């Protein structure tokens, strides 16, 4: 998400500089302003430009399409089909595949990750990030996610997931696969995870077909519905 932060800084600096420069030009067109010190007008212009920039950036970054354009090859938002390798025990929620949803919350300036799982009895397990971060200034997009896992009647557990998103397709310019590891509170092993991107188009089609139960249908099909 570094490109979003950089865009915010560049827009703020550009608009602030524009209005500071404009404040000096206005004195020649409006004689009444000559009574005010130039530094005072520049300060007012800087504050106005900075405030306007924050508003403009917020409106732009609130748009998923704009974020996708800004991030380009580093865009990881959307739905992912997640599988955890070599999980023992029927009661372990990581045994079941999940659907991870990544979303950038512009109002908080942070990445949010939510993973939904269902066991064989349709009990739902939800993993919600408490601190999620993606580093996008390298060839690989590295991520770190400190999360809380909850389920009805079983309280909550915490865990840590980390890894990287990679592009393994010649037909897209953004990552389509995730390779990572996950550790859950109360366990002494770090397990491998993989994930495949579910296209936005496919997610919409599944929602139109199954409604709010589309994730459950995909998970019960072991992902085949999402990639057919």
């Amino acid at each position: 998400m570094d490109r979003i932060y950089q865009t915010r800084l560049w827009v703020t600096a550009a608009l602030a500089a524009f209005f500071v420069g404009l404040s000096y030009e206005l004195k020649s067109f409006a004689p009444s302003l000559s009574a005010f010190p130039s530094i005072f007008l520049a300060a007012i212009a800087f504050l106005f430009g900075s405030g306007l920039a924050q508003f403009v950036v917020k409106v732009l970054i609130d748009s998923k399409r704009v974020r996708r354009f800004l991030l380009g090859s580093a865009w990881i938002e959307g739905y992912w089909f997640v599988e955890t390798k070599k999980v023992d025990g029927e009661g372990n929620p990581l045994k079941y595949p999940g659907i991870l949803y990544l979303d950038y919350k512009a109002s908080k300036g942070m990445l949010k990750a939510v993973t939904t799982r269902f066991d064989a009895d349709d009990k739902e397990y939800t993993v919600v990030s408490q601190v999620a971060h993606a580093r996008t200034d390298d060839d690989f997009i590295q991520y770190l996610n400190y999360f809380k896992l909850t389920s009805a009647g079983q309280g909550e557990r915490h865990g840590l997931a980390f890894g990287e998103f990679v592009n393994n397709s010649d037909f897209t310019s953004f990552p389509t696969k995730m390779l990572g590891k996950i550790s859950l509170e109360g366990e002494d092993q770090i397990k491998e995870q993989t994930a495949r991107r579910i296209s936005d188009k496919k997610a919409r089609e599944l929602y139109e077909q199954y409604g709010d139960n589309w994730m459950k249908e995909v998970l019960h099909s072991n992902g085949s519905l999402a990639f057919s």
Side-chain angles (χ1 to χ4, degrees):
M1 298 299 159
D2 305 288
R3 296 180 191 178
I4 290 180
Y5 303 143
Q6 291 169 4
T7 299
R8 189 190 301 271
L9 291 175
W10 276 109
V11 172
T12 300
L15 283 179
F18 171 78
F19 281 102
V20 168
L22 184 63
S23 69
Y24 286 97
E25 294 297 326
L26 284 176
K27 293 188 71 173
S28 61
F29 292 99
S32 60
L33 294 177
S34 60
F36 296 94
S38 297
I39 189 65
F40 174 77
L41 293 177
I44 295 298
F46 177 81
L47 292 175
F48 178 78
S50 298
L52 179 62
Q54 292 297 319
F55 173 77
V56 170
V57 170
K58 182 182 183 304
V59 171
L60 290 175
I61 294 179
D62 273 343
S63 168
K64 187 175 181 178
R65 290 184 178 180
V66 171
R67 295 197 302 271
R68 180 171 178 172
F69 172 77
L70 291 175
L71 291 169
S73 60
W75 184 64
I76 59 174
E77 288 186 76
Y79 294 96
W80 298 78
F81 180 76
V82 181
E83 295 178 285
T84 309
K85 308 298 183 182
K86 299 180 180 179
V87 179
D88 299 323
E90 291 297 327
N92 193 323
L94 298 181
K95 177 183 179 69
Y96 306 97
I99 291 181
L100 164 67
Y101 179 63
L102 290 171
D103 183 35
Y104 181 78
K105 298 297 183 183
S107 60
K108 297 182 179 179
M110 62 181 292
L111 184 69
K112 185 173 183 180
V114 178
T115 304
T116 302
R117 288 183 170 87
F118 292 93
D119 65 13
D121 298 321
D122 275 349
K123 178 183 289 185
E124 182 176 355
Y125 295 87
T126 304
V127 171
V128 179
S129 62
Q130 294 187 298
V131 179
H133 178 68
R135 180 179 176 180
T136 58
D137 57 354
D138 294 324
D139 293 335
F140 296 100
I141 304 169
Q142 300 173 324
Y143 80 96
L144 179 66
N145 179 18
Y146 175 67
F147 62 81
K148 177 175 65 177
L149 183 149
T150 60
S151 61
Q154 292 193 6
E156 62 184 44
R157 300 166 69 184
H158 292 83
L160 183 69
F162 55 93
E164 61 187 22
F165 292 88
V166 296
N167 188 339
N168 66 332
S169 171
D170 293 330
F171 303 103
T172 62
S173 59
F174 45 79
T176 54
K177 187 176 182 180
M178 182 272 285
L179 304 172
K181 297 181 184 296
I182 186 170
S183 177
L184 194 59
E185 181 181 9
E187 298 184 3
D188 58 359
Q189 291 183 335
I190 297 177
K191 299 175 175 62
E192 294 184 3
Q193 277 195 327
T194 62
R196 290 176 287 168
R197 182 191 285 275
I198 302 173
S199 70
D200 286 351
K201 179 181 178 182
K202 190 64 176 181
R204 283 193 297 269
E205 291 175 355
L206 290 166
Y207 178 78
E208 291 172 358
Q209 183 174 357
Y210 298 105
D212 292 336
N213 290 322
W214 77 270
M215 289 189 187
K216 183 184 293 186
E217 295 294 332
V218 170
L219 294 174
H220 284 338
S221 74
N222 201 31
S224 62
L225 283 176
F227 304 105
S228 59

